[in-house]
Amino acid sequence: MNENNKLPGHIAIIMDGNGRWARKRSLNRIRGHIEGVKSVREITEECASKHIKQLTLYAFSRENWSRPRIEVELLMRLLKRYLIKERPTILKNNIRFTVIGRIDGLPKDVQREIEINIEESRHNTGMVLCLALNYGGRTEIVDAAKRLAKEVKDGKLSLEEIDEETFKNYLYTSEMTDPDLLIRTAGEMRVSNFLLWEISYTELWVTPVCWPDFRKKHLEEALSDYAKRERRYGGLIE
Ligand code: IPE
Ligand code: IPE
Ligand code: MG
């Protein structure tokens, strides 16, 4: 089992494979998304009970808008339902709810439910649950660069003050630590525009298991693999 000091503080997950899970069962893709919500619930509660500090879930990318309109609409409806239905679970588990991404690009009714979850959980002291919604890693960096450029233009910041530390303060993730462990389900060996800045030294773990099948035991596998890793950050271990 994992020693506590070897647990990742921040876990990020690319929840992929809902469509393939459904296809294997000759079901509609949306059924895969519906089943995927159950994995979100189980993994969130499991991480909270293990005292993981933060769980960041990639739920909808900027690129996902290019899917058929019907799928996008159903995903937004499902997201709204999730935000309402999971509210008591979030509060019961002392979880603080946050989001990253271009939230103003989401449907207004979804934005409203997000606001309620953030507001109602703002004083919670347990795990931070962060949903990446309408999120793109490159967009995040461009948005940060724009805000930074404006501050320089307005004379609030000098060029000399810009370093990695300062730049980080302009990212959506300014308040967070970088992920220690990035999990991707459904086997694809790519990052799909997720947290490009933040994962520079994150440990990666990919499983062929599709997201709707991802359960506690798979999380355990990832955690025990992580516990064996030696993180060197370009240096040497004595
Ligand atoms: C992940 O599952 C959910 C989202 C990207 C919203 P997919 O819908 O990408 O499932 P596959 O990759 O087609 O199997
Ligand atoms: C990544 O999955 C995005 C989310 C999990 C929200 P995709 O299914 O969109 O990624 P690609 O298209 O396989 O790279
Ligand atoms: Mg996919």
Side-chain angles (χ1 to χ4, degrees):
M1 282 323 267
N2 299 291
E3 303 154 42
N4 248 346
N5 60 357
K6 284 284 213 164
L7 269 183
H10 181 179
I11 301 176
I13 307 183
I14 302 174
M15 309 181 290
D16 197 20
N18 294 353
R20 274 162 282 174
W21 180 93
R23 197 175 58 215
K24 269 186 251 163
R25 291 160 179 79
S26 308
L27 298 168
N28 190 291
R29 290 179 57 85
I30 197 68
R31 279 292 306 278
H33 297 312
I34 291 169
E35 283 298 309
V37 176
K38 295 182 187 165
S39 305
V40 171
R41 185 178 308 131
E42 177 163 329
I43 298 308
T44 302
E45 287 204 287
E46 186 60 15
C47 287
S49 76
K50 284 185 173 304
H51 305 291
I52 299 293
K53 291 195 179 67
Q54 175 161 349
L55 176 65
T56 300
L57 302 175
Y58 201 8
F60 194 84
S61 74
R62 301 259 303 146
E63 291 74 23
N64 288 147
W65 295 109
S66 67
R67 295 188 179 195
R69 209 185 59 159
I70 180 78
E71 178 164 346
V72 171
E73 276 177 15
L74 285 166
L75 277 169
M76 289 301 146
R77 242 192 275 169
L78 204 57
L79 174 59
K80 182 179 170 184
R81 205 203 297 166
Y82 162 82
L83 291 164
I84 298 169
K85 213 169 151 231
E86 295 311 304
R87 201 166 284 149
T89 317
I90 289 170
L91 298 176
K92 185 185 85 197
N93 287 285
N94 193 24
I95 291 169
R96 186 159 64 81
F97 181 86
T98 62
V99 284
I100 50 171
R102 287 217 179 143
I103 302 306
D104 57 4
L106 295 169
K108 284 275 175 296
D109 56 337
V110 172
Q111 289 186 44
R112 210 172 307 125
E113 301 307 331
I114 289 172
E115 280 307 316
I116 297 174
N117 282 11
I118 293 174
E119 185 52 38
E120 292 196 353
S121 70
R122 69 183 311 148
H123 296 300
N124 285 354
T125 53
M127 186 179 79
V128 173
L129 170 64
C130 175
L131 289 198
L133 296 168
N134 193 15
Y135 175 89
R138 287 188 170 178
T139 308
E140 176 180 28
I141 294 169
V142 170
D143 283 352
K146 273 190 183 162
R147 287 176 54 211
L148 201 72
K150 187 168 185 313
E151 301 238 316
V152 174
K153 190 168 150 237
D154 295 348
K156 292 180 186 153
L157 191 76
S158 71
L159 269 187
E160 292 67 37
E161 282 174 286
I162 302 176
D163 55 15
E164 290 181 15
E165 207 63 31
T166 319
F167 194 87
K168 187 192 157 61
N169 292 333
Y170 292 82
L171 293 166
Y172 307 148
T173 52
S174 59
E175 308 279 296
M176 309 171 189
T177 59
D178 291 340
D180 297 294
L181 173 64
L182 173 64
I183 295 174
R184 181 166 188 145
T185 59
E188 238 62 79
M189 296 289 179
R190 54 178 175 251
V191 289
S192 302
N193 206 11
F194 192 38
L195 300 174
L196 298 182
W197 173 280
E198 297 83 352
I199 60 172
S200 61
Y201 270 103
T202 299
E203 295 295 324
L204 310 178
W205 192 80
V206 178
T207 173
V209 174
C210 288
W211 179 248
D213 282 333
F214 194 85
R215 286 289 171 272
K216 271 186 212 175
K217 63 170 185 196
H218 306 107
L219 180 69
E220 281 308 332
E221 271 176 50
L223 292 177
S224 55
D225 196 47
Y226 174 87
K228 288 185 221 128
R229 307 267 182 105
E230 190 180 75
R231 301 182 75 181
R232 286 191 290 271
Y233 301 96
L236 297 172
I237 304 285
E238 296 287 294

